[in-house]
Each structure stands twice: as C-alpha cells, then as structure tokens.
Amino acid sequence: MAGMTALGFDIASANAAPPELGAGGKGKKVIVLGAGVAGMTSAYELSKAGYEVTVIEARAFAGGRCQTARKGFKLTELGGETQECDFDDGLYINHGPWRIPYHHRSTLHYTKLFNVPLEMFVNDNDASYVAMTKGTGPLAGKAIRKGQIAADARGSAAEILAKQVKQGALDQQMTADDREKFLAYLTHEGYLTADLAYKGTDGRGYDVNPGPGMVPGPGKESTPYPLTDVLHSNAWRTLTSVAGYEQQRTMFQPVGGMDQVAKGFERHVGQLIRYSTLVKKYRQNEKGVEVTVSGPDGKVETLSADYCICTIPLSVLRQMDMGVSPKFKAAIGAVSYALVGKIGLQMKTRFWEEKHFIYGGHVYTDNPEINTITVPSTGYQSQKGVLLGYYNFGASAAKVSALSPKARQELAAQGGQVAFPEYAQNVETSFSAAWHRIEHNLGGWAEWSEEGRRDAYPILCEPDGRLYLAGEHLSYLTGWQAGGIESAWQQIAKLHKRAQAA
Amino acid sequence: MAGMTALGFDIASANAAPPELGAGGKGKKVIVLGAGVAGMTSAYELSKAGYEVTVIEARAFAGGRCQTARKGFKLTELGGETQECDFDDGLYINHGPWRIPYHHRSTLHYTKLFNVPLEMFVNDNDASYVAMTKGTGPLAGKAIRKGQIAADARGSAAEILAKQVKQGALDQQMTADDREKFLAYLTHEGYLTADLAYKGTDGRGYDVNPGPGMVPGPGKESTPYPLTDVLHSNAWRTLTSVAGYEQQRTMFQPVGGMDQVAKGFERHVGQLIRYSTLVKKYRQNEKGVEVTVSGPDGKVETLSADYCICTIPLSVLRQMDMGVSPKFKAAIGAVSYALVGKIGLQMKTRFWEEKHFIYGGHVYTDNPEINTITVPSTGYQSQKGVLLGYYNFGASAAKVSALSPKARQELAAQGGQVAFPEYAQNVETSFSAAWHRIEHNLGGWAEWSEEGRRDAYPILCEPDGRLYLAGEHLSYLTGWQAGGIESAWQQIAKLHKRAQAA
C-alpha cells in the first residue's frame, strides 16, 4: 500500500495541479529558455514563488507550437516560400495542438485558472465517413458512415458468437448462468433478434427517414452490409472497443483557437518574456549560469542567473552551443522528432454539414498523404469553415511538405474528393505547416525509441549542473501540451527543492 | 426505381426543408391553435405565403414544451404548489426538449434560419459512470466508467470469438480469406495481443496516469475486469454496437437554453400570437371555421377563418369542445401520453468535472426513479452548474411527481449518491417538472400503441373538414421538436394545395 500510494495517489495528483512552491524563491534568478507552454508554465509558477524569472523567446510571440493561424499570420518554412494566412475574419486553423483530452488535468488547470473558455472538440462521430480505397469488394472506395460499419461489424460478430454459445461451444469454459448473461449482452450489443440474428438496427440509418403523417411515416430502415463486404472494405480498421487513452472523448478546444491557451499564459507572464531573442551560448559553473543572447536589434548580451530551465525542443537544442556534460549532450542527440504536416482549407460552404450532416469529427482515408480530414468543431451552421485537409506523418509528411503551398492545397483538394463530391470546388484558400521544416521546432514532437527511453531519457530528466530541461519531450505525453506542463511542474519542483536547500 | 424515388429522395428532402408554398395564400385566413414549435412553424410558413394567420396561445409565452427554466420562471403543476426557479443568473435547465440530433434537419433548418447558435450536447461519454445496484458480484453498486465496461466486454468477446475462429469453428461458414480478415478485425476491435488474448488497453484508463520524467513516466495501466464480473454487474446494458437512431452523436443544444429555438420563431411570428388566450369552442362548416376564445381579460370572442391548424396535444384536445366528426373525435382519444419527470439541481461546485473528470454526458443508474443523471454540456470549468437529477417515466414518474418539489429534490439528491460521494452535499436548489401534471400539455409526448398507429393515427393525419392537426403526435418522431415541425410542414402543404384549388 505504501508503494501504491507512492506510485498512485500522490503522483496522480501531481499531474493535476502544480507543485506548491511556497514563497521561498526570493532573491534567486532563473532564466527560462523558450516561451512555449512548458516555458511559460515554469515562468508562471516560479515567479509566483518569488523567483526573478526572465524568459528568452526566439519568436516575436509566445506559445511555441501552441499556434493558431488566422488572417495575417505568417510562416516561412525552412527553404520555403512565405505564407500569409488569408482566411476570412473569424476563421482559423490550429496547425499545432488542436485538442485537449478530458484527462489532461494539467492543461485544464490553466484553462480554468486563466478563464480560457472551452468548447467540445468532436473526436468521434459515427455519422462521419470512412473512405478506404485500398480495400476490395463493393464497399471499397466508397464513403461509408462509420456508424454503419460499426453496427454491421459488431452486429455480425455478435450474431456469430451468440450462435456459437447457443451451440455449446463455450459450455466447458463458462457456467450456464454466465452463458445466459453473455447471450443477453451479445443480443443487446448487436441488436440481435430473438433468434439471435443480426438484421440491422435503426442506428445504422434509414433509407427513408421516419417523419410525419403516413408518408414517410415510419420510414424505411436500411439494410446491413454483408460481413464479407465489411471485412474486405478495410473500413473496420477505424473500429475499436473503446478509443485509445489519448483519443478519448470528451475532448475540448479553446473557443477561438488553441492560441487562447498561450494568450492566457501571456497575460500573466508576458512581462517576463524577451521576444525575438536568440540563444547564442549557454555556460554554467558551480555558482550559476550564463546565457548569451542576441536581441531583436542584434545586440548581443550575456545574462546570468542561478538556474536555467530549457524548454527548447531537442531537435533544435542539439545544434546549439551548450556548455553541458558530454553525456548530457549525447543524450540530447538521441531522440528523433516527428515529421508532421497539416493544412487548413477554407471552404466556401459547409457542405459537410449541409449535404452530408457531419458536424465535427474525422473522415478516415487510407491515403497516407491525407490520412484524416477533420471538419471543424465550431461555427456550426455558419457560412464558411476551415477544415483540416490532411494530417500526415513520416515519409508522407516529408513528401507533401516538399511541395509548394499551392501544390499542397491542390493535393489536399483532390484528396478530399474521396469523401465529398463538393470538396475541390469549394476550396478557397489554405494555410499549411510542416513542423519539421519550421525554425525553432524542427519537428512536431519527440519520438522516443525504446533504447532512447531506456538510455538517454533518464539522463535528460535529471539536471545537468544548473540546467533543467522541460517540455513534452521529457514526458510520456509527447506531442501534448500536458506533457510540457507536467514536465515543467516536475522540474521546477526539483529546482525549488535544491534552491531551498542551497 | 420510381418507387425508390417516391419513397426515398423526394420524401427524404421533404423532411429537410419546408414546402415551397409560393405566395398564393393572399386573402385566406388561418387560425393556428397553439404557439408551440409546430404552431409557430405553421404560422411562419403560412404567413410567408401570404395567409392571414392568427395564433391562439393559452400561455403568456410561446414555445409550448420548448421551455427553459431559469431564475424567475414559474410553474404550477395541476394540484401542486407553485415553483419559482431560483437558479443563479446564467444557469438553467431544459425541462422539455433538450437535445437536437444531427439528422433532425428540420429543427436545424430553423436554428440556422433564425441564427440560433448551437453547441455540442454530449450524449455519449465513455468517461461517465454506470452505477447499477441490482447486479451481483464485485462490480454491483459501484460507479464504473462506461468505457471500462465497453473495453472489457468487447475485448473479452473478441478474444472468445477469435479463439473460436482459430479453432476452426467457422471453417464451414467462412472462406479462409474472410476468416483471416475477421481475425484481424477482432484483434483490432478488442486490442487483442498476438496470441489473441485480451489483456486490457490503455483506453480503459490507468491506475497511474502517464506523465513526466521517470515517475510516473509511463504510468501504470489498469487491469481489466473479468468477463464474469462484467456480465453480473448489469453495466453492459448500456453498451450497443452503435447508438439508436434518435440518440446518435452528434447532438446539439442551443447556447443558453432550448427556449432560444422558441424565441427564434417568436422574433418572426410573435406579432401573430394572441397570448394568454384559451380556446373555448371550435366549430366548422363548409365555408369556414369559428374558434371561440377567451382572452387574458376574460373577454370571450369568436374568430373566424378559412382553415384551422390545431397543434394542441391530444391529451388536452380530447377534453375540449371540438365540433368535429365522431370518428375524428374517437381517434383523438385513442392515444396515451407519456408520464415524464425531470429535475434540475443547482450544484454548488462542478464536482463531476473537478473530482471525476466527467464533462457532459449521462450517468446511468438502475433506479427507475432516477434513471439517468445528466451533467451539463455547457459552462465547463465554471463555478456552479445545473445538472439533470432524474429523468423518469411511467409509473416511476407518477410516483415521484406526487411528491412536493422539496421532497423531489431530496429524492434526487439521495439518488445521485450512487455515483458521486459529493452529490447531496452540493445541492443548492432545484426546479422540477412533471409534464403529465402540466396544464395545456398533460403529458410529455404521444405514445402510440400499435393499434393506435393502425386505426386512429391515419384518421388524424387527414383533415377533418377544415381542421388540420399538427404536432409531434402526428409523426413518427414523437417527443421531438422535429416531429412537430415536419408534421406542420406536411399539413400546411396539404392545406395550401386545397386552398389553391378552392
């Protein structure tokens, strides 16, 4: 039980609320590198505890990857042309983080504290389409509603299993009482008839919707797809008994764009941030740290402090002049970063709502350059909308990101035709981001190998001299804002304990 | 194909948009009885087509059952004391209709037309609890997350079925290719290991959540419940392969309360409504109709028109002085109305969010007096909230509705303890409604028997003389606003066709 408590309740709550640092930071200086979510978390909590905090930020704005592209937002990828977002007023795309699972209590701690209003992000919508072109049979290449596939696959499986039970296949392994309840469960799950057959359910939709009067009156239920067609379609690849941990409902998005989280932090720590300032060199000794920076005017100066918290992505940090131990330096180089591309497409009409009745959620394709198309979880029933036209990874992201913004738009516009006939003709403009080509990030998030987690990760989780690393890369919630926040919480707690003892 | 078109596309689109009446109503008068959603739909569309429309409404406000209780809202049930809602400013309960499925295109037609902003209604939340007390075994009486039950029931079933397939049980009925794909589907659905075992999934939650650094680091996954415990718990009664047609995601609610739909209509037809006016008598002949009413001052007068559309619930209409054919009168009496009770509980804190991480959705119980508890899909992370404390039906609704408002609150407060230890101590105030005890409604919605649908319903769907009935009761979407709207659309189309021919 002592072990349980140590591993369980204590730590679980440490993920939910910042460490209580008290007020003992007075007279001590901390330099924070990076004004992303991890950096601003560190700055907020440390300055609250009395530390004198300076945040160095390469960009002219805070938030790190927590960005939202709206009219006027500019991005120049490495080796690429400059895009200036020209969406209509009020429209945006979260090209970085875009959703907050209900169990990311650390992120939700700050949205609550900073009064950032939230709305539901639709992460699972049975009415949305699965459009698999690489299957075979009559359903291949068709846009099928996910709920129809779910009803038919699970209904058919329930029928097969129920009949097995009835025929005695489980007599050896289950009691009669359990078998009876198991049959009741299967019948309920699969909407089986009294003779244990799956003949469809109203939940898979109607050919004629029920309505008023005598016609359509009760309407006409649809006919299930045969199991063999479902199996050959590949559409079942979207079905799981319950969504994976990080993908579970409920999920949120901040009203108006994910950068509202960054702006929430900025309202509290903005005065501590030196924007458009680059880190040139980091040195430390037993007495303190020195960070040489060049400001927006090119002026180089060296700042000193007692400690440093560095939230710069390892993909970038590995190229910097860091006076750290060889072991630490090697560990910094031991992780790869995700190749990730996203595109926001401004659409003239919300045809996915008006013609297809899909309000939020993902359209699944098996084209790796598109992967998923996600229609917006905001602005329902308004005139226009920005949807996520692709979310690609790895080799596909590398390939697509090598295209010009215009060619990416064309690729996304064509890719969406697999689901919606109205798609390409509705595209007005786009904004795309390939995180592996973005300066100061060079990747979407840390992707640890098993060896990296074993060898390099533990080294980076401990301070090197007076340098503490923090960020999503120093967590098991890589790619999530919660990883950055909780990593910062853990590191500042360690720093504080040491500073108090000093 | 002609049949398909007649039954399919034409009619399907007739559910999505109002009939195009043109402008031929000029010079003709219609009296509409009832300013609920069906009545106001009729008034809006008919007056747009040139008809001179008068709406008679018994209440001092429009909307019918489309009501929202907020501070100051008063309700006196038949034989009961008067409740005045004293929720804090900004809090409310939709004690009538409360959700709009994505496929209710008719309701969504008007929310769009009248610029009623919508937000997601969380109708399915895997993080929410199932709390069944009437099961047996170790899970009985415990509040279990629905997603855990889903993962374990479906994972175990997938394991059993996959092993059957592997052992050749389906060799006769499935090709080798199909069996291979079926195994792949079952493995994916159930998160089975390579040896086809279900050993849990991160989707059922962690005992220690993954986080930063080394501790908690990867966290500790939870252990599945044994299938026999799941089966005996009764919690599986909440699981279906896909939600039923009327309960499917996505669902909406109007921002600020369902009465925003009524107010949307009222902005356009309010000037046609005579409020606080009771229908005393209805008479018709071959030339027209006469409706005798008494106004707010008690003054009785007789209005005449060419036609009448009556949207008064049959539960009320059957007691009125209606000069209609005996056959029609008998049919009016042939339907029963749902006994339905709801209570809104204002809670001091949003403990379901703060302590249990449940944001929207239903808590399922097997106490029929409580049935479901629904936490709000709005105001996330704010201080207080109003949740739905019970939603009971039939005999349970009759029993609970016989209690005083205070006793209902006490019953609801105790009922919620099954799921949340913080429940009762957080209750501040309540507002309850039992629709079968509410004047001008006398029931939640029409509940047609098979015989009623066969014998009485067709009679009421046709006009009796110059009287056309409309409302949710004249549809197969009983209990939904869409039923009322689509019924009105169908009836005014018939009326218009006849008026044009006259």
Side-chain angles (χ1 to χ4, degrees), chain A residues 385-470:
Chain A
V386 172
L387 53 72
L388 183 68
Y390 60 64
Y391 190 7
N392 50 34
F393 304 93
S396 300
K399 188 174 158 197
V400 173
S401 70
L403 302 175
S404 70
K406 194 165 177 297
R408 294 177 190 174
Q409 174 178 317
E410 178 60 21
L411 177 140
Q414 286 312 311
Q417 289 289 128
V418 69
F420 303 107
E422 308 85 352
Y423 201 87
Q425 77 201 48
N426 269 282
V427 175
E428 288 189 326
T429 181
S430 68
F431 179 87
S432 60
W435 284 98
H436 47 289
R437 290 165 57 105
I438 296 178
E439 200 184 3
H440 313 309
N441 294 105
L442 302 181
W445 53 78
E447 288 190 320
W448 288 101
S449 64
E450 211 174 301
E451 295 73 21
R453 283 282 187 201
R454 189 189 61 211
D455 301 331
Y457 179 81
I459 294 169
L460 300 178
C461 288
E462 290 304 313
D464 185 76
R466 293 173 169 267
L467 179 72
Y468 291 75
L469 301 190

Side-chain angles (χ1 to χ4, degrees), chain B residues 313-493:
Chain B
L314 303 180
S315 47
V316 176
L317 194 64
R318 67 168 61 123
Q319 300 172 10
M320 291 172 56
D321 181 359
M322 299 294 293
V324 294
S325 69
K327 186 173 99 170
F328 205 75
K329 203 169 184 68
I332 288 172
V335 63
S336 62
Y337 266 64
L339 285 74
V340 184
K342 282 185 176 180
I343 191 167
L345 298 175
Q346 178 174 312
M347 294 290 189
K348 211 179 305 189
T349 67
R350 296 172 78 97
F351 55 85
W352 57 92
E353 296 181 354
E354 291 159 15
K355 306 283 182 198
H356 302 269
F357 329 122
I358 299 172
Y359 299 87
H362 312 297
V363 173
Y364 298 88
T365 84
D366 54 7
N367 172 355
E369 294 175 6
I370 300 292
N371 193 19
T372 47
I373 293 165
T374 303
V375 301
S377 293
T378 196
Y380 305 113
Q381 298 205 299
S382 56
Q383 177 55 38
K384 296 183 177 184
V386 172
L387 55 71
L388 184 69
Y390 61 63
Y391 189 8
N392 51 33
F393 304 92
S396 299
K399 189 174 158 199
V400 174
S401 70
L403 302 175
S404 70
K406 194 166 177 301
R408 294 177 190 175
Q409 175 179 317
E410 180 58 23
L411 177 139
Q414 286 312 311
Q417 290 288 128
V418 69
F420 303 106
E422 307 86 351
Y423 201 88
Q425 75 201 48
N426 268 283
V427 175
E428 288 189 327
T429 182
S430 68
F431 180 87
S432 60
W435 284 99
H436 46 290
R437 288 165 58 103
I438 296 179
E439 201 185 2
H440 313 309
N441 293 105
L442 302 180
W445 52 78
E447 289 190 319
W448 288 102
S449 64
E450 210 174 302
E451 296 72 23
R453 282 282 188 200
R454 188 189 60 212
D455 300 333
Y457 180 81
I459 294 168
L460 300 178
C461 287
E462 290 304 313
D464 186 75
R466 291 173 169 268
L467 178 71
Y468 292 76
L469 302 190
E472 54 84 21
H473 43 290
L474 276 312
S475 82
Y476 276 78
L477 303 170
T478 50
W480 294 95
Q481 294 173 107
I485 293 170
E486 292 173 32
S487 167
W489 283 353
Q490 188 164 80
Q491 298 298 64
I492 60 173

Side-chain angles (χ1 to χ4, degrees), chain A residues 2-74:
Chain A
M4 267 306 285
T5 306
L7 277 171
F9 297 99
D10 291 1
I11 298 298
S13 65
N15 293 359
E20 299 198 1
L21 302 185
K26 216 159 176 190
K28 300 214 172 60
K29 287 187 188 179
V30 178
I31 293 173
V32 174
L33 305 184
V37 164
M40 290 196 287
T41 296
S42 306
Y44 177 76
E45 299 298 341
L46 287 174
S47 61
K48 234 179 45 171
Y51 290 87
E52 188 183 315
V53 179
T54 303
V55 185
I56 306 300
E57 170 54 44
R59 293 191 169 101
F61 58 91
R65 280 158 283 184
C66 177
Q67 298 178 8
T68 298
R70 57 175 71 78
K71 191 199 279 285
F73 184 88
K74 283 184 197 171

Side-chain angles (χ1 to χ4, degrees), chain B residues 69-388:
Chain B
R70 57 175 71 77
K71 191 198 279 281
F73 185 88
K74 282 184 194 169
L75 175 68
T76 308
E77 291 174 14
L78 295 170
E81 52 191 282
T82 296
Q83 292 176 76
E84 179 167 340
C85 182
D86 63 347
F87 294 156
D88 287 5
D89 285 331
L91 297 181
Y92 63 85
I93 189 80
N94 292 319
H95 53 287
W98 55 324
R99 43 189 177 183
I100 307 173
Y102 74 93
H103 53 68
H104 280 189
R105 296 167 62 189
S106 51
T107 310
L108 294 174
H109 169 82
Y110 289 110
T111 57
K112 183 171 182 182
L113 190 67
F114 298 153
N115 291 310
V116 176
L118 301 176
E119 60 191 352
M120 279 289 154
F121 178 96
V122 178
N123 202 47
D124 192 8
N125 182 353
D126 276 341
S128 191
Y129 289 141
V130 183
M132 299 295 196
T133 57
K134 290 169 195 155
T136 56
L139 302 182
K142 284 196 183 155
I144 312 161
R145 296 202 191 261
K146 191 185 167 202
Q148 297 196 318
I149 291 294
D152 296 346
R154 291 174 181 159
S156 299
E159 174 185 308
I160 292 171
L161 186 47
K163 286 179 173 163
Q164 289 291 317
V165 176
K166 202 75 183 171
Q167 285 163 22
L170 304 186
D171 285 5
Q172 299 306 310
Q173 63 187 90
M174 249 187 214
T175 67
D177 184 26
D178 280 12
R179 288 200 304 274
E180 187 193 326
K181 287 193 165 58
F182 192 46
L183 278 177
Y185 156 65
L186 292 171
T187 300
H188 195 270
E189 173 81 78
Y191 296 97
L192 304 184
T193 56
D195 61 342
L196 303 179
Y198 172 66
K199 293 180 179 163
T201 153
D202 69 348
R204 77 182 302 293
Y206 281 77
D207 285 340
V208 181
N209 285 336
M214 301 298 291
V215 182
K220 189 176 174 303
E221 284 195 21
S222 60
T223 308
Y225 299 128
L227 179 59
T228 185
D229 293 354
V230 172
L231 293 175
H232 286 262
S233 73
N234 275 348
W236 54 263
R237 292 186 190 280
T238 59
L239 301 179
T240 54
S241 60
V242 71
Y245 179 66
E246 291 182 333
Q247 294 298 324
Q248 274 177 340
R249 286 173 285 129
T250 49
M251 274 192 165
F252 291 111
Q253 62 185 10
V255 175
M258 189 57 89
D259 64 352
Q260 299 307 307
V261 172
K263 287 182 196 302
F265 276 105
E266 215 175 354
R267 283 196 292 275
H268 294 85
V269 301
Q271 76 286 358
L272 309 175
I273 304 173
R274 294 177 63 158
Y275 294 95
S276 302
T277 298
L278 294 167
V279 176
K280 310 301 283 183
K281 195 163 76 173
Y282 172 85
R283 292 294 180 267
Q284 60 184 6
N285 60 35
E286 298 197 354
K287 301 217 165 139
V289 305
E290 286 191 339
V291 181
T292 304
V293 302
S294 71
D297 50 3
K299 208 184 107 189
V300 174
E301 78 187 283
T302 296
L303 312 174
S304 61
D306 297 292
Y307 302 98
C308 179
I309 294 179
C310 175
T311 68
I312 295 169
L314 303 180
S315 47
V316 176
L317 194 64
R318 67 168 61 123
Q319 300 172 10
M320 291 172 56
D321 181 359
M322 299 294 293
V324 294
S325 69
K327 186 173 99 170
F328 205 75
K329 203 169 184 68
I332 288 172
V335 63
S336 62
Y337 266 64
L339 285 74
V340 184
K342 282 185 176 180
I343 191 167
L345 298 175
Q346 178 174 312
M347 294 290 189
K348 211 179 305 189
T349 67
R350 296 172 78 97
F351 55 85
W352 57 92
E353 296 181 354
E354 291 159 15
K355 306 283 182 198
H356 302 269
F357 329 122
I358 299 172
Y359 299 87
H362 312 297
V363 173
Y364 298 88
T365 84
D366 54 7
N367 172 355
E369 294 175 6
I370 300 292
N371 193 19
T372 47
I373 293 165
T374 303
V375 301
S377 293
T378 196
Y380 305 113
Q381 298 205 299
S382 56
Q383 177 55 38
K384 296 183 177 184
V386 172
L387 55 71
L388 184 69

